[in-house]
Amino acid sequence: MKTAAALLSLIVAAVALPAQAQAPAACPVSAEHVVANGGLDRSRAAVARGRLTILAMGSSSIEGAGASRRELSFVPLLEAGLRRRLPGVEVTVINKGIGGETAKDTADRLERETAAAHPDLVLWQLGTNDILRDRPMDDIFADFRRGEAILDRAEVDVALIDPQRLPENAQNPNFRGRNPALAEMSRLIDLEAGRVGYALARRFEPMAAWSGLDRGGVGPDDLHLNDQGYACWAETTAEGLAAALR
C-alpha cells in the first residue's frame, strides 16, 4: 500500500508541475535577447539593496490574455523567474497591461502609473497593436518620445519589449502577412533603445525559434500567446534581465 501511495503521490506531483518548469526544454532560453545598452544602473543598485520593483506596461500580452490561468501569464512567470535567478532579492513585478493599447494609450498613462508604483525599472511593451491598426511610424514614435520624456523625468530604468511574431499560416485575415511590418517595428525599437540608452528585451526574434511549442506559442486566435508561449517568453526575459542585473 505504501508503494502504491508513493507512486500516486509522484503522479499527482508530476501533473501539478507548473507550465514554466517545462519552458527550458520547450524553447531555447538565452540571455542574449536582453541588451542593457548602458542602462539598468538603478535596477542593479536596487538588486544590491535586496529589493527590485518592476512596472510592466503595455497591452494584452502584458495583461495576460490567452493564458489559461493568471499565474501562467507573462508577468507572474517573469516575477517567479527573476526570484529564482536573484536569490535573496525581493522582486515585485506590477502588472499594468491593458488589452488593445497602442503606444499613445500607454504614453498617456505612464506618468500616473510610474508615480503610483515607484518602480526601479519600467518594462514598456509596444508596437504590435500600432502595426495591426496601420498607424503611421511617425505617429508611433512621436508617442514613444512623449513617453520617453515622462520616464526620464521619473528617473527610472526602462527596458523596451518589441512586438511579437504572428503565425505565418494565420487563419485570421487581419493577421496574415503582418510579420514584415512587425519585424521593421522591432528593428526601429532596437535603434531607439540604443539611441536613448534603454535596455531592450527582444521578443520578435526569439519567437522564430519557438517551433517546439504548441502552435509556435500562439493561441487559436492567431494573436495572443498560449501557456507555452508565455512560459518561454518569461523564461527568456528573466534569463536575460537577471544576467544584466547581477
Side-chain angles (χ1 to χ4, degrees):
M1 291 296 292
K2 287 184 178 180
T3 301
L7 180 59
L8 178 61
S9 176
L10 287 172
I11 293 171
V12 170
V15 171
L17 277 175
Q20 67 266 33
Q22 300 175 16
C27 71
V29 175
S30 170
E32 69 182 9
H33 298 303
V34 173
V35 183
N37 283 325
L40 302 178
D41 287 344
R42 296 177 185 87
S43 301
R44 291 191 189 100
V47 168
R49 292 192 300 269
R51 177 175 295 182
L52 174 68
T53 301
I54 300 173
L55 173 64
M57 298 285 292
S59 57
S60 56
S61 56
I62 295 295
E63 186 178 26
S68 63
R69 301 196 306 274
R70 186 202 68 82
E71 61 267 27
L72 296 181
S73 61
F74 175 71
V75 168
L77 295 181
L78 175 64
E79 183 179 88
L82 287 172
R83 287 179 175 180
R84 290 197 309 273
R85 290 168 171 83
L86 300 171
V89 180
E90 182 182 338
V91 179
T92 301
V93 186
I94 301 168
N95 188 339
K96 288 296 180 178
I98 297 178
E101 277 205 341
T102 62
K104 176 185 183 305
D105 300 322
T106 304
D108 285 345
R109 62 190 181 94
L110 270 175
E111 186 168 13
R112 179 176 72 253
E113 300 290 7
T114 53
H118 301 289
D120 306 295
L121 170 64
V122 173
L123 301 181
W124 185 359
Q125 171 260 318
L126 73 162
T128 301
N129 286 325
D130 297 275
I131 293 299
L132 294 181
R133 296 180 189 180
D134 299 310
R135 297 190 68 218
M137 289 290 188
D138 286 348
D139 291 353
I140 298 169
F141 283 99
D143 292 323
F144 169 75
R145 292 185 181 100
R146 183 163 55 89
E148 175 193 347
I150 293 168
L151 293 166
D152 288 352
R153 287 197 300 271
E155 297 184 337
V156 295
D157 288 341
V158 181
L160 303 180
I161 299 173
D162 65 1
Q164 69 184 80
R165 185 182 294 267
L166 300 178
E168 295 292 347
N169 60 347
Q171 298 301 303
N172 189 321
N174 294 323
F175 303 150
R176 284 191 213 124
R178 293 286 194 166
N179 281 332
L182 291 167
E184 177 63 6
M185 183 82 255
S186 298
R187 186 185 73 83
L188 293 174
I189 288 173
D190 193 322
L191 290 175
E192 285 295 299
R195 179 185 69 83
V196 301
Y198 287 169
L200 176 68
R202 294 192 177 102
R203 181 167 53 151
F204 187 85
E205 179 182 333
M207 283 186 72
W210 289 9
S211 59
L213 304 185
D214 181 29
R215 292 179 50 85
V218 179
D221 65 356
D222 292 329
L223 176 63
H224 297 109
L225 299 185
N226 57 28
D227 288 350
Q228 290 186 353
Y230 277 122
C232 192
W233 178 29
E235 284 294 287
T236 298
T237 305
E239 182 78 6
L241 268 181
L245 294 175
R246 289 191 188 101

